[in-house]
């Protein structure tokens, strides 16, 4: 069976700002892939809860969240080098110290580096919806992926997804509802209003002006039975 990777590798040209940030900040905030589990207490030098964001784009909302929550640790994974550079540059400008970033395939990081029951939240905001039905199998939110995330969350930890593509929102809901040991935090058993913890992106505000919807889903890992 073909393994779903969390990305299609895209290379882009780096701006001077992104290149400089990768050069100057990687030693402080960047983490190279190695085949051994994180010791988050060592990585962050504290035992605060860890929040993982998969595919952070240019990182603006991730940096905002880290700046607003100094009592939490943030780990961001993104394969697009310009996005990683932009995130590092913003983090430096905001004097953020509770953020680490990786430029690698998230599935491999989850499999090899994230210890079980170690994350308080996993965030997946606006992943590629693969609009064409023949490509829908490439969507990252599938049962094996959602089960993998569940194993990495602490009991009471939350998997938070957001999409602006309604068919994908329905697909996410269907996948998540089919899995044991997850509890939907929506009072109407579908979507939740955008929580304060997720900053609105420019892209999202633009979408709202154009009348596009955004769907947030939050599922908590529970002890089954």
């Amino acid at each position: 069976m073909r393994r779903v990777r969390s990305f299609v590798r895209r290379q882009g040209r780096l701006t001077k700002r992104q290149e400089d940030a990768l050069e100057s900040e990687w030693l402080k905030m960047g983490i190279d892939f190695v085949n051994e589990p994180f010791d988050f207490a060592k990585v962050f030098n504290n035992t605060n809860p860890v929040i993982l964001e998969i595919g952070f784009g240019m990182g603006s909302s991730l940096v905002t969240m880290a700046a607003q929550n100094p009592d939490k640790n943030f780990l961001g994974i993104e394969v697009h080098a310009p996005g990683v550079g932009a995130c590092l540059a913003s983090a430096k400008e905001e004097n953020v110290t509770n953020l680490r970033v990786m430029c690698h395939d998230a599935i491999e990081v989850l499999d090899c580096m994230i210890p079980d029951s170690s994350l308080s939240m996993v965030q997946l905001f606006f992943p590629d919806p693969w609009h064409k039905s023949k490509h829908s199998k490439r969507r990252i939110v599938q049962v094996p992926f959602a089960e993998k995330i569940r194993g990495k969350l602490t009991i009471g930890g939350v998997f938070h997804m957001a999409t602006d593509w309604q068919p994908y929102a329905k697909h996410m809901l269907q996948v998540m509802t089919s899995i044991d040991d997850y509890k939907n935090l929506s009072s109407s058993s579908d979507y939740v209003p955008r929580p304060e913890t997720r900053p609105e992106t420019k892209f999202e505000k633009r979408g709202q002006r154009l009348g596009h919807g955004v769907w947030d889903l939050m599922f908590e890992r529970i002890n089954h039975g």
Side-chain angles (χ1 to χ4, degrees):
M1 212 173 87
R2 199 174 66 84
R3 194 167 67 94
V4 175
R5 293 178 79 78
S6 66
F7 69 97
V8 174
R9 187 175 282 284
R10 297 158 297 167
Q11 295 306 334
R13 293 176 81 95
L14 294 166
T15 64
K16 182 83 173 72
R17 175 176 177 261
Q18 292 161 1
E19 206 169 343
D20 289 350
L22 279 167
E23 191 106 341
S24 67
E25 303 307 304
W26 185 262
L27 273 179
K28 270 185 273 179
M29 282 186 276
I31 294 178
D32 293 309
F33 177 81
V34 288
N35 194 355
E36 59 183 64
F38 279 114
D39 177 342
F40 283 128
K42 272 191 185 161
V43 171
F44 291 101
N45 218 13
N46 62 52
T47 54
N48 292 342
V50 179
I51 294 170
L52 168 67
E53 179 159 343
I54 295 172
F56 56 73
M58 299 309 266
S60 58
S61 66
L62 179 57
V63 169
T64 300
M65 282 183 278
Q68 288 173 353
N69 298 278
D71 57 335
K72 292 180 178 151
N73 296 321
F74 291 82
L75 172 65
I77 305 175
E78 171 58 58
V79 291
H80 197 213
V84 175
C87 181
L88 288 171
S90 302
K92 183 186 181 183
E93 286 152 16
E94 298 286 332
N95 293 315
V96 163
T97 57
N98 56 331
L99 172 63
R100 301 291 179 272
V101 299
M102 295 188 70
C103 191
H104 201 80
D105 172 40
I107 302 290
E108 214 169 346
V109 176
L110 284 164
D111 283 343
C112 304
M113 294 185 74
I114 308 285
D116 288 347
S117 305
S118 65
L119 303 171
S120 68
M121 182 174 273
V122 175
Q123 300 176 161
L124 180 72
F125 299 153
F126 307 105
D128 193 327
W130 293 103
H131 297 105
K132 293 180 179 171
S133 55
K134 67 177 179 182
H135 289 155
S136 64
K137 286 191 180 71
R138 297 184 189 178
R139 291 172 177 168
I140 189 169
V141 180
Q142 309 286 358
V143 170
F145 173 75
E147 288 177 336
K148 193 187 297 285
I149 296 294
R150 182 190 59 195
K152 303 303 175 183
L153 288 167
T154 57
I155 302 292
V158 173
F159 184 17
H160 179 190
M161 293 152 275
T163 181
D164 62 338
W165 181 246
Q166 194 172 16
Y168 199 3
K170 287 179 176 169
H171 169 83
M172 288 172 170
L173 184 61
Q174 197 177 2
V175 165
M176 297 302 295
T177 308
S178 74
I179 303 171
D180 287 340
D181 298 350
Y182 268 130
K183 173 188 169 191
N184 191 347
L185 297 182
S186 160
S187 55
S188 48
S189 300
D190 47 18
Y191 311 107
V192 296
R194 180 182 67 84
E196 291 297 306
T197 50
R198 183 174 73 74
E200 257 185 318
T201 61
K202 283 180 192 166
F203 153 85
E204 191 176 347
K205 285 174 183 159
R206 178 178 167 273
Q208 285 171 344
R209 285 200 301 277
L210 297 169
H212 300 168
V214 169
W215 291 266
D216 280 84
L217 299 90
M218 295 182 89
F219 280 75
E220 179 186 329
R221 182 187 175 185
I222 55 168
N223 254 330
H224 193 60

